[in-house]
């Protein structure tokens, strides 16, 4: 007799931050793997465009506005997701953006805004989606972290602090959820080509990159694609029950050396 029942054939998934970048790529990857998906972000129009593309390709997708910094928005999103697709089996927490500034120069409100989105927002998703998973004795929640946790980068201290909090929360949940059948996992990307940081002005971007080179953060010029990170998320949630990929770090491969 198997230790665990297999995953059900139909595993509805929600993706927070699905309007672009890693979130959009993850929603597409999960849909391609057969998951009905709910796409959530503040830019609901972008989510609907992707949902329409998924449906046109034969998948099942639904878009709904989501601002993880707003408790009422998360509550409404969770209710709409359940109404649209039924009990949610997979949650991917990846909403957020990257603000730049030296810690001693940014205001506390700006610092708190990063923590509110990346960390508190992730917990809002947990509070709505994980208790029903525990009641059903199965489910996956995946937190998108960052390799700035083990290797902090200057000019992004609020983001670094928030992502450290996310990983601390996820590791605590791994202990608290042990024996429930619910898996909490961390996917930790390295440098990834997304829209994050694209709103920085030229002076800020130049200062940040100069500092990162000084501290050895730019070993080579290659970046991950969002689809590379999405593939890791899809692998985590597809892992048969009885095994748990607790932390997966994804880094860009360096260019081939001259032979």
């Amino acid at each position: 007799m198997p230790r665990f029942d297999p995953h059900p054939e139909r595993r509805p998934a929600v993706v927070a931050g699905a309007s672009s970048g890693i979130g959009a790529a993850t929603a597409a990857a999960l849909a391609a793997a057969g998951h009905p998906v709910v796409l959530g972000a503040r830019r609901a129009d972008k989510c609907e465009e992707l949902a329409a593309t998924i449906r046109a390709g034969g998948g099942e997708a639904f878009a709904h506005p989501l601002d993880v910094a707003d408790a009422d928005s998360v509550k409404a999103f969770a209710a709409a997701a359940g109404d649209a697709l039924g009990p949610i089996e997979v949650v991917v927490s990846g909403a957020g953006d990257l603000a730049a500034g030296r810690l001693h120069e940014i205001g506390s409100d700006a610092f708190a805004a990063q923590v509110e989105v990346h960390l508190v927002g992730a917990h809002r998703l947990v509070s709505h989606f994980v208790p029903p998973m525990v009641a059903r004795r199965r489910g996956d929640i995946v937190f998108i972290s960052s390799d700035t946790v083990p290797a902090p980068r200057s000019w992004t201290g609020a983001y670094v602090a928030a992502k450290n909090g996310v990983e601390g929360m996820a590791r605590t949940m791994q202990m608290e959820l042990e024996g429930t059948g619910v898996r909490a996992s961390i996917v930790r990307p390295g440098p990834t080509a997304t829209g994050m940081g694209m709103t920085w002005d030229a002076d800020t971007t130049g200062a940040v990159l100069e500092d990162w080179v000084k501290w050895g953060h730019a070993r080579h010029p290659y970046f991950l694609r969002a689809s590379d990170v999405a593939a890791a998320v899809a692998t985590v949630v597809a892992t048969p029950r009885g095994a748990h990929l607790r932390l997966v770090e994804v880094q860009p491969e360096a260019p081939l050396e001259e032979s």
Side-chain angles (χ1 to χ4, degrees):
M1 183 175 180
R3 293 179 299 163
F4 295 88
D5 292 332
H7 293 302
E9 277 192 33
R10 188 173 186 276
R11 299 190 73 204
V14 301
V15 180
S19 59
S20 64
I22 292 170
T26 298
L30 292 177
H35 293 268
V37 291
V38 182
L39 289 70
R42 289 178 298 174
R43 295 182 295 173
D45 57 330
K46 295 295 184 183
C47 290
E48 181 51 45
E49 289 175 10
L50 178 54
T53 299
I54 291 170
R55 292 192 296 267
E60 189 176 357
F62 171 75
H64 193 274
L66 172 63
D67 180 355
V68 297
D70 183 324
D72 290 338
S73 177
V74 177
K75 181 179 180 180
F77 175 79
D83 290 343
L85 297 183
I88 301 302
E89 293 277 330
V90 174
V91 174
V92 181
S93 174
D97 201 354
L98 181 61
R102 294 185 178 97
L103 280 169
H104 65 283
E105 294 175 343
I106 65 173
S108 293
D109 287 346
F111 183 92
Q114 290 277 286
V115 175
E116 180 73 22
V117 171
H118 292 282
L119 177 55
V120 181
H123 183 264
R124 290 191 177 102
L125 294 171
V126 167
S127 67
H128 283 285
F129 287 105
V130 173
M133 291 180 178
V134 172
R136 293 193 302 275
R137 299 175 64 82
R138 66 174 187 269
D140 279 289
I141 180 161
V142 181
F143 298 95
I144 305 299
S145 183
S146 166
D147 73 340
T148 61
V149 172
R153 287 184 178 84
S154 55
W155 288 78
T156 59
Y159 175 84
V160 171
K163 288 301 189 183
N164 270 274
V166 168
E167 290 207 12
M169 180 173 70
R171 291 195 299 271
T172 302
M173 288 182 65
Q174 288 168 349
M175 292 186 287
E176 295 173 346
L177 292 174
E178 188 165 281
T180 68
V182 180
R183 304 181 299 196
S185 300
I186 301 164
V187 171
R188 182 195 286 166
T192 308
T194 70
M196 291 182 68
M198 292 299 103
T199 59
W200 299 352
D201 60 57
D203 289 343
T204 298
T205 301
V208 169
L209 293 178
E210 184 177 332
D211 229 27
W212 287 1
V213 169
K214 180 181 76 173
W215 289 105
H217 294 310
R219 296 191 316 277
H220 60 77
Y222 281 21
F223 277 61
L224 293 167
R225 300 162 299 180
S227 59
D228 298 326
V229 183
V233 175
T235 298
V236 166
V237 303
T239 300
R241 300 188 71 203
H244 183 183
L245 301 185
R246 295 162 63 92
L247 169 63
V248 176
E249 181 167 308
V250 189
Q251 290 288 347
E253 189 174 5
L256 293 173
E257 297 178 355
E258 296 289 339
S259 56

